[in-house]
């Protein structure tokens, strides 16, 4: 049985992969359109937040190193 922490890591990984893929598709399609730039900026923010969330969950599962958790929370706050 999967624990909630493992499920959260899986969801974060899938979300990160999808957001990165959508970012590549949007910028490859037409990077000069204003709507694509706005959506790309939104996806970059989603990716940054997701990386921070992923690192917090992984850091709490692996070790209690507060340095990694503080760094990840800093990424999420950007």
């Amino acid at each position: 049985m999967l624990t909630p922490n493992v499920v959260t890591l899986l969801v974060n990984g899938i979300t990160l992969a999808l957001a990165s893929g959508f970012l590549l598709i949007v910028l490859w399609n037409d990077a000069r359109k204003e709507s694509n730039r706005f959506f790309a900026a939104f996806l970059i923010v989603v990716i940054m937040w997701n990386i921070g969330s992923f690192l917090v969950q992984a850091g709490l599962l692996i070790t209690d190193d507060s340095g990694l958790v503080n760094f990840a929370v800093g990424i999420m706050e950007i």
Side-chain angles (χ1 to χ4, degrees), residues 52-65:
S53 176
F54 190 79
L55 285 176
V56 166
Q57 286 293 324
L60 291 175
L61 282 175
I62 294 171
T63 182
D64 287 337
D65 184 18

Side-chain angles (χ1 to χ4, degrees), residues 28-53:
W28 192 344
N29 185 20
D30 187 10
R32 294 183 182 160
K33 285 178 61 177
E34 186 175 345
S35 61
N36 285 357
R37 287 182 185 177
F38 176 75
F39 191 59
F42 172 73
L43 284 172
I44 288 171
V45 171
V46 168
I47 290 170
M48 292 291 290
W49 178 80
N50 202 322
I51 288 172
S53 176

Side-chain angles (χ1 to χ4, degrees), residues 15-28:
T15 305
L16 185 60
L18 286 175
S20 300
F22 286 147
L23 181 64
L24 287 174
I25 290 169
V26 165
L27 292 178
W28 192 344

